[in-house]
Amino acid sequence: MDGQQWEATAAAVREAVRALLRVLEPEQVRVLRAGPDRLDAPEWREWTYLPGSRPGLATEGLDARQREAVDAVLAAAHSVEGAELARGAIEVERYRRAAAGATGDDRYWVRLSGDPDSGGPWGWRMNGHHLAVHVLIAPDGMRVTPHFIGAEPARIADGPQAGRRLLGPEEDLARQLVTDLDVGRRAKAVFADSPPDDILTRDDPFADPDLLPTGLTHGDMAPGEQRLLERLVRRYLDRAPAAYARECWSDTVAQGLDTLSFSWAGGRAPGDRHYYCVRAPDFLIEYDNTQDDGNHAHSVWRHVRHDWGADLLRAHYTEQHG
């Protein structure tokens, strides 16, 4: 990763976590830090984007100053665009709860593992319905996957947010790509008339790219279609701080953009239930908008080597402990 930018990003996240620790009560800090000592323990790879409680410190019941500190950590761990998406997932969830007549505060859970001031690896995560952010920081880099953003509804129908489509760009770029394909190329890209009910990797601890169809490769696309696929991939990578997003994109370019492939299932008209995925040697992207008659969207970015910071942790534990 770019040295100066990486150090600036790590410092910003570290300072945001320090600020959070300063405004929490001792018992809240204990709950925040509860969990296995090692960051590669299986428990740290347990996650879900479904409704329900999680381990960690609940944001429900935090006072305004404490919640502002949580929001600051969330922002520091993302690019500007990524932070807007993460906050947007929370805002759309508020709309969903209000529309259902539910009361109460936001229900998300925050966990901290390791010591940000130790000089070694440490991690932070925030999980809840339709939001799953996992951050691992080590002396040699930063990792931010699995990264999940969902929106229920995918398009808000009424109220102050009427017309809002949190994941609209993710949907529109992919739809334009599959629509622009000629008949022969589209036959390779579209693997089913009916989309799956959810992302295919679900909340697997380790994402298996072979669960996804092969689809149409970047090399088999026309130049305009290739540019659309590249824009779609960058839309997901750019959720991360700039230094890490550049690293992931540079790795992809170095391996050859022809290794990228795109697949689609379902209808192509706006409002149709649909799904798509992108495969690369090191990462995968999935998006579905199938539930609630095509008004309930999921999007996820997984990295085969980087999820949970596995590569950085492996290097650290090997160096430190053989």
Side-chain angles (χ1 to χ4, degrees):
M1 293 177 69
D2 182 288
Q4 288 186 333
Q5 282 219 348
W6 149 240
E7 292 171 3
T9 299
V13 179
R14 186 180 298 111
E15 183 51 42
V17 170
R18 288 173 180 156
L20 172 62
L21 291 171
R22 287 195 294 268
V23 298
L24 295 178
E25 300 296 331
E27 176 59 18
Q28 292 174 314
V29 173
R30 187 195 68 76
V31 174
L32 178 75
R33 289 182 173 276
D37 292 333
R38 287 180 63 105
L39 285 90
D40 59 353
E43 181 179 328
W44 290 113
R45 297 190 291 271
E46 296 173 359
W47 72 291
T48 179
Y49 48 89
L50 301 176
S53 299
R54 316 280 200 271
L57 176 67
T59 60
E60 189 175 28
L62 294 183
D63 64 31
R65 186 173 60 152
Q66 293 166 342
R67 184 53 203 263
E68 287 176 2
V70 170
D71 291 344
V73 179
L74 190 63
H78 289 86
S79 67
V80 172
E81 296 82 2
E84 289 176 353
L85 275 175
R87 285 194 300 267
I90 296 170
E91 292 163 359
V92 174
E93 178 68 8
R94 288 175 189 160
Y95 171 88
R96 184 194 69 82
R97 292 200 319 271
T103 59
D105 296 332
D106 298 330
R107 301 187 74 239
Y108 297 89
W109 288 263
V110 184
R111 301 185 82 181
L112 175 65
S113 179
D115 184 354
D117 295 313
S118 69
W122 60 282
W124 173 88
R125 67 168 58 187
M126 185 170 176
N127 284 185
H129 186 215
H130 282 167
L131 177 66
V133 175
H134 307 92
V135 178
L136 189 287
I137 293 177
D140 295 328
M142 177 178 185
R143 304 293 184 246
V144 299
T145 58
H147 193 280
F148 182 100
I149 298 288
E152 179 189 0
R155 182 187 186 100
I156 294 178
D158 53 23
Q161 299 187 66
R164 183 179 191 181
R165 299 168 62 229
L166 179 65
L167 296 170
E170 285 80 353
E171 179 175 325
D172 294 345
L173 282 169
R175 177 180 290 108
Q176 183 179 350
L177 173 54
V178 73
T179 301
D180 285 357
L181 296 173
D182 61 29
V183 173
R185 291 188 176 100
R186 189 179 300 144
K188 291 183 178 180
V190 177
F191 68 93
D193 293 333
S194 298
D197 293 333
D198 204 338
I199 57 173
L200 297 177
T201 53
R202 303 297 175 97
D203 53 3
D204 294 348
F206 294 102
D208 181 3
D210 290 337
L211 292 174
L212 308 185
T214 302
L216 179 69
T217 66
H218 181 279
D220 287 336
M221 295 179 181
E225 297 153 5
Q226 291 175 337
R227 288 191 290 271
L228 280 172
L229 178 57
E230 293 164 23
R231 287 175 59 194
L232 179 62
V233 170
R234 293 299 296 267
R235 174 71 184 175
Y236 283 83
L237 302 189
D238 287 346
R239 296 177 176 186
Y244 181 61
R246 278 200 304 272
E247 177 187 353
C248 289
W249 181 248
S250 296
D251 287 348
T252 303
V253 172
Q255 293 180 75
L257 291 178
D258 287 354
T259 61
L260 293 173
S261 66
F262 171 80
S263 301
W264 177 280
R268 299 194 307 273
D272 286 347
R273 298 171 65 252
H274 64 282
Y275 163 96
Y276 70 80
C277 62
V278 177
R279 285 181 58 167
D282 282 344
F283 67 84
L284 60 88
I285 289 165
E286 286 191 272
Y287 176 98
D288 78 85
N289 190 350
T290 60
Q291 300 176 36
D292 300 335
D293 198 25
N295 195 26
H296 181 152
H298 297 153
S299 70
V300 69
W301 167 27
R302 304 291 304 264
H303 199 291
V304 176
R305 293 183 294 108
H306 293 181
D307 272 8
W308 319 110
D311 61 322
L312 297 180
L313 292 174
R314 186 180 303 111
H316 171 76
Y317 288 132
T318 299
E319 178 182 346
Q320 297 296 318
H321 308 294

